[in-house]
Amino acid sequence: MPAEVKTVLQGRLERFNNALQLKSTDRVLVGPCSDHFFSAKLAGISNKDAMLEHDKRYKAMKDVVLRFDFDIALQSGVYPAQWYSILGARHYKWPGGNLPEDKTFQFVEKEYLLADEYDQFLANPNDFTMRVLWPRMTEGLAPLEQLPPFYSIGPDPIFLGPAFATPENLAMLEKLKLLAEASVDSMQAEGDYIAEMEELGYPVSYGANFTPPFDLVADFLRGLRGTMVDMYRAPDKLLAAVDLYVEPQIEAAIAWAEAVNNPRIFFWLHKGAAGFMSDEHYQKFYWPSLRQVVLALVEGGLTPILHVQGDYTPRLPYLAELPRGKVPIHYDRIDRQDAMEIMGDRQCFWGGVSSALLSTGAPDQVEDDVKELIDIFAPHGGLIVDGSVGIPDEARPENVEAMVDAVHQSIGA
Amino acid sequence: MSDWESKQKQFIKDILAGDEEAAVSMARTSLEEGATPVEFFENCIAPSLQDVGKRFETLDIFLPEMVTAADTVEKVNSEVIKPAVAESQAGESMSLGKVLLATVQGDLHDIGKNMVGLMLKVNGFEVVDLGTNVPPADIVARAEQEQVDIIGMSALLTTCLPYMKDVCDFLEGKGIRDKYPVIIGGAATHPEIAEEMGANTHGGSAAEGVEKCKMLLGKL
C-alpha cells in the first residue's frame, strides 16, 4: 500500500476510532454500518443477484462508499444465497429462492424448540442442536434426525463410516462440502472487498456480527410468542437456555475478531426494546447475559457495538452502566434529548436518521433532521451520522446525499 | 363489590400470572354454582380481557403478560366454556365478529399482525389468522370460505403494498367488495395509502386496529 494511501487510511481509522471511543474528533462523521440492498438497487442489480454474485454486490458497495463520500466502508448485511439454497433452508426465505427476485430475505420465526423440549435441549445442547433443531430448520440436514447420538456409536471412530453409510447421509455430506466451499468463496469476496476499500483509504465499519443471547433464543429457538409465555411458565429454563449461549458467544466473538483482524463487533439487539417487555423482565431475562458478553469483549480489548432496534429510550440507564467510551451504541428510534442526557458523556451515538425519512422524506427534511442530531450530540463528540438501521433499501439517493451534505456543511460551519 | 366484580379481579390476576389451573377452576366453579357459560364469558372473561388490553395500550403491562393472559383464557375457553356451550346448546354467539388476518405475499413479518390478533381476541373478536406471505387470491378465497366479517392485512415491506391493493381489486372484480370491509396496517402503511388502494380504513396501532374493526361493524 502506497504511503500516502496508508496515511489517509490511518487518518480515517483514527477519526472513526476516536468517535467510537467518545474522544474528541476534528469533525462529525457520516457512515453507514451496513448495507442490505441499497447499493445493489443503485447499481441496477436485483436482490437475487446481489445475494448470489458476491463480486457484483461488493463492487456496488464500493461504488456507494465512493459516490457518497462516507467516512467508512459499510459492511454487507446480506448472507450468500448459496448458504440457504445448499441446505434447503426452511427457516429463511430469500429472493430468487422462495421469494420473488426483488424482495428482501426474511427469517421464518417459529418454535423450533418446543416448550416441552427444554429439558432435553438443556441436558445435551450439542445433540439436540444437531439431531433435532437443524433437521427442523433445513431440508438438507434432515438425515441427521435418523443418526444415533454420536456417543452411542461407541468410542471407536471407525464406526462413523457405517453410521454414515446411507445414500441420504452421503448426499448430506456432499451438501456440507458444498456449503463449506461456498463459504470459502464468499469469505474470499468479503476479504477482497475489505482489502480494496482499505487500499482506497476506507476502514470497514465492523468485522464480526452477532445476535445477543436472549435474541438467539427468542429468534431461533422459541419464537417471540413462546419466549413471552416462557417468562411466566418456564422462567428458569428460559434463563438457562439464554445463559447457555454466553460463553460460546464470547469465545466465538474473540476468535472471529482475530480472524478478520477487526476489533469492532456488531450486535443486533431486537427483542429487548420498549413494548416488548417490562423493565423488570428486561433486567432479569435480557440484560445480564448481554452485559456479560459485552464486558468480556471490552475486557479482551475489543469494541462491541450495540445496534438497538426499536425504541430503546427506557433502556438507556442500562446502556449507561457500560464502561465509558468502550461500547458505541447504534440507535434506531430514541428520544434524542434523553439519549443526550443519559448517554451523552457515556458512549458514542451512531445512527439515528429514520429509515422512513430516508425512504419517503424530502432532502430538506433529512438535512434538518441531521442538523438537529449535530446540534444535540456534536458538542460532546462521538457522533456518527447514519440511517437508523444503516441505509434502507428503499432510501432515495438524494436523501442519502442530503444526509452526507448536512454533515459536510457542519464541518465548514 | 358484586360477586362478578370480585371474580373478575381474581380472574385478571390469574390470567396475567398464567395460572391456568386457577383460571379454569374459577370458571368450573362458577358454572357449577349456576352461572351459564355465556354469563361467565360476558361478566368475567370479556371485561377481564378488555382490562388487559387497556393495560397493554398504556404500557402498564407488556407483551409477555398479554400473550400469557390470552393463552390462559384460550385454555379456559377450550376446557370449560366451549364444551359447556355445546352441551347447553345455547347457540348464543360470544363473538363481536370474525376477522381474517394475514401478512401479505412477500412479507414474513408478523409481530404487528400477531399483536393485532391478540388485541382483537382479548376484545371479543374471533380471529382467523392465515399467517405470513399470503397471496391475494388465498386471502379472498379464505374470507369467502370462513365467511368473515372483516379482512385485515399487514405489511412491513413497502414492496408488498401492491398485494394489498390486489385484494381490494379481487374483491371488486368478484362483486363482493361491499361484503368485506378491509383494514390495513403495518409499518409500510398509512391512512393515505389505505385510501389510495381502496381499503376501508387503516389501523396505526394494535389498539387503533381494534377500535377501527368495531367501527366497521357498527359496534362502537
Side-chain angles (χ1 to χ4, degrees):
Chain A
M1 184 186 292
E4 61 272 25
V5 175
K6 207 171 179 181
T7 310
V8 174
L9 174 66
Q10 278 172 350
R12 281 206 177 100
L13 185 59
E14 193 182 334
R15 186 184 288 128
F16 183 34
N17 279 333
N18 283 342
L20 292 173
Q21 292 163 18
L22 207 64
K23 291 178 187 163
S24 69
T25 49
D26 57 347
R27 63 175 178 80
V28 168
L29 282 79
V30 54
C33 58
S34 70
D35 175 64
H36 281 150
F37 297 109
F38 173 72
S39 304
K41 193 163 270 191
L42 226 54
I45 304 167
S46 71
N47 290 4
K48 173 192 160 194
D49 288 345
M51 288 186 74
L52 275 174
E53 300 182 39
H54 316 319
D55 291 341
K56 278 189 185 172
R57 179 171 80 250
Y58 285 118
K59 159 90 172 54
M61 285 166 57
K62 180 186 85 174
D63 290 347
V64 155
V65 174
L66 298 179
R67 170 175 168 176
F68 293 101
D69 197 13
F70 294 133
D71 288 306
I72 51 173
L74 31 74
Q75 177 59 280
S76 172
V78 174
Y79 289 123
Q82 290 88 340
W83 294 9
Y84 305 120
S85 58
I86 289 169
L87 284 180
R90 298 180 178 121
H91 61 314
Y92 280 95
K93 289 190 186 285
W94 66 98
N98 35 24
L99 284 177
E101 289 189 11
D102 61 336
K103 296 288 179 286
T104 187
F105 66 95
Q106 296 166 64
F107 179 64
V108 183
E109 187 181 284
K110 57 197 271 195
E111 293 186 21
Y112 294 105
L113 166 77
L114 303 177
D116 59 4
E117 292 174 335
Y118 262 121
D119 290 339
Q120 195 190 342
F121 171 63
L122 292 170
N124 194 341
N126 274 329
D127 187 58
F128 191 90
T129 300
M130 200 174 78
R131 296 193 311 119
V132 182
L133 270 185
W134 290 346
R136 280 180 188 163
M137 289 174 157
T138 67
E139 209 178 308
L141 298 178
L144 286 172
E145 206 174 11
Q146 305 304 323
L147 279 176
F150 272 13
Y151 84 93
S152 75
I153 294 172
D156 188 342
I158 62 167
F159 294 110
L160 278 171
F164 276 92
T166 66
E168 294 78 19
N169 286 339
L170 285 168
M172 178 181 67
L173 291 173
E174 184 57 31
K175 285 191 171 84
L176 286 174
K177 181 171 167 275
L178 288 173
L179 179 67
E181 285 168 356
S183 302
V184 168
D185 286 348
S186 60
M187 286 157 72
Q188 181 64 50
E190 183 184 338
D192 291 348
Y193 163 73
I194 292 169
E196 190 178 3
M197 293 316 295
E198 286 182 350
E199 274 163 25
L200 290 165
Y202 294 91
V204 73
S205 53
Y206 60 85
N209 75 100
F210 285 89
T211 303
F214 180 91
D215 290 313
L216 272 185
V217 173
D219 291 358
F220 292 92
L221 298 182
R222 296 286 297 130
L224 179 69
R225 193 177 182 284
T227 311
M228 300 284 124
V229 173
D230 292 345
M231 288 183 183
Y232 280 94
R233 301 245 165 94
D236 295 341
K237 290 176 183 176
L238 171 61
L239 264 181
V242 171
D243 287 344
L244 205 59
Y245 286 101
V246 171
E247 286 304 327
Q249 185 159 87
I250 293 168
E251 282 172 29
I254 291 170
W256 191 346
E258 272 173 15
V260 296
N261 192 28
N262 187 331
R264 297 177 293 281
I265 304 170
F266 212 77
F267 283 83
W268 301 91
L269 282 62
H270 29 272
K271 290 195 170 117
F276 273 93
M277 62 182 84
S278 66
D279 194 58
E280 192 189 333
H281 278 157
Y282 184 82
Q283 200 172 2
K284 179 174 177 180
F285 293 105
Y286 198 99
W287 181 241
S289 52
L290 174 63
R291 184 173 177 274
Q292 204 180 329
V293 171
V294 166
L295 292 182
L297 297 182
V298 170
E299 182 79 12
L302 300 171
T303 306
I305 301 163
L306 307 186
H307 167 67
V308 292
Q309 215 163 44
D311 179 9
Y312 234 71
T313 310
R315 316 295 190 214
L316 289 172
Y318 294 93
L319 301 178
E321 283 176 20
L322 298 168
R324 183 182 183 278
K326 301 286 186 191
V327 189
I329 312 293
H330 190 286
Y331 293 95
D332 176 5
R333 284 188 291 129
I334 199 78
D335 182 309
R336 291 177 178 178
Q337 292 300 339
D338 283 359
M340 181 61 229
E341 274 169 37
I342 301 171
M343 299 294 292
D345 64 348
R346 297 298 305 164
Q347 307 294 351
C348 159
F349 185 108
W350 191 357
V353 182
S354 93
S355 295
L357 187 61
L358 287 171
S359 305
T360 62
D364 57 332
Q365 291 174 303
V366 174
E367 209 170 297
D368 289 346
D369 192 63
V370 173
K371 279 180 184 161
E372 185 188 284
L373 269 182
I374 292 172
D375 287 344
I376 297 174
F377 293 98
H380 276 258
L383 171 65
I384 306 173
V385 174
D386 182 14
S388 54
V389 195
I391 308 295
D393 300 349
E394 311 290 331
R396 296 168 62 192
E398 58 269 34
N399 285 345
V400 179
E401 221 156 76
M403 180 174 84
V404 175
D405 285 349
V407 171
H408 288 173
Q409 281 162 20
S410 80
I411 298 165
Chain B
M1 191 185 283
S2 77
D3 192 34
W4 280 121
E5 274 176 45
S6 70
K7 274 188 179 163
Q8 200 192 107
K9 212 171 156 190
Q10 185 57 44
F11 193 71
I12 291 173
K13 245 186 214 171
D14 293 340
I15 61 174
L16 282 176
D19 191 341
E20 290 177 349
E21 210 179 304
V24 165
S25 156
M26 181 193 286
R28 281 216 172 99
T29 310
S30 297
L31 265 51
E32 280 162 17
E33 286 171 357
T36 67
V38 174
E39 276 170 352
F40 186 80
F41 186 87
E42 285 179 352
N43 292 298
C44 196
I45 295 181
S48 299
L49 285 176
Q50 274 164 17
D51 185 81
V52 167
K54 274 191 191 124
R55 290 196 203 187
F56 181 72
E57 277 174 57
T58 55
L59 291 185
D60 181 32
I61 60 167
F62 296 85
L63 266 182
E65 292 76 22
M66 192 163 89
V67 171
T68 303
D71 212 51
T72 309
V73 165
E74 200 78 38
K75 188 95 177 169
V76 173
N77 276 336
S78 65
E79 287 203 359
V80 185
I81 305 300
K82 280 181 188 163
V85 168
E87 204 176 288
S88 67
Q89 293 182 325
E92 288 179 56
S93 171
M94 293 184 294
S95 163
L96 279 184
K98 206 178 197 182
V99 183
L100 177 149
L101 287 182
T103 302
V104 293
Q105 188 170 350
D107 200 334
L108 300 182
H109 296 89
D110 62 359
I111 291 178
K113 170 187 69 64
N114 294 345
M115 280 168 67
V116 172
L118 270 175
M119 285 289 275
L120 285 168
K121 278 184 194 168
V122 303
N123 279 278
F125 285 89
E126 194 180 338
V127 174
V128 179
D129 189 343
L130 302 191
T132 60
N133 192 23
V134 189
D138 290 2
I139 293 176
V140 174
R142 283 296 295 277
E144 283 283 85
Q145 192 188 333
E146 299 276 351
Q147 287 297 299
V148 299
D149 299 303
I150 295 173
I151 293 175
M153 292 181 284
S154 168
L156 182 131
L157 305 174
T158 48
T159 49
C160 298
L161 288 173
Y163 297 118
M164 290 180 159
K165 186 173 183 312
D166 284 354
V167 169
C168 297
D169 293 347
F170 278 4
L171 291 170
E172 198 75 58
K174 282 175 156 258
I176 51 174
R177 180 65 189 85
D178 293 340
K179 193 173 161 190
Y180 298 106
V182 172
I183 178 169
I184 65 164
T189 66
H190 53 76
E192 290 76 20
I193 283 183
E195 203 179 326
E196 266 170 40
M197 72 173 61
N200 296 72
T201 188
H202 169 262
S205 67
E208 193 185 317
V210 172
E211 293 307 298
K212 294 281 179 71
C213 283
K214 285 181 182 169
M215 214 181 281
L216 287 172
L217 297 182
K219 307 273 167 132
L220 260 191

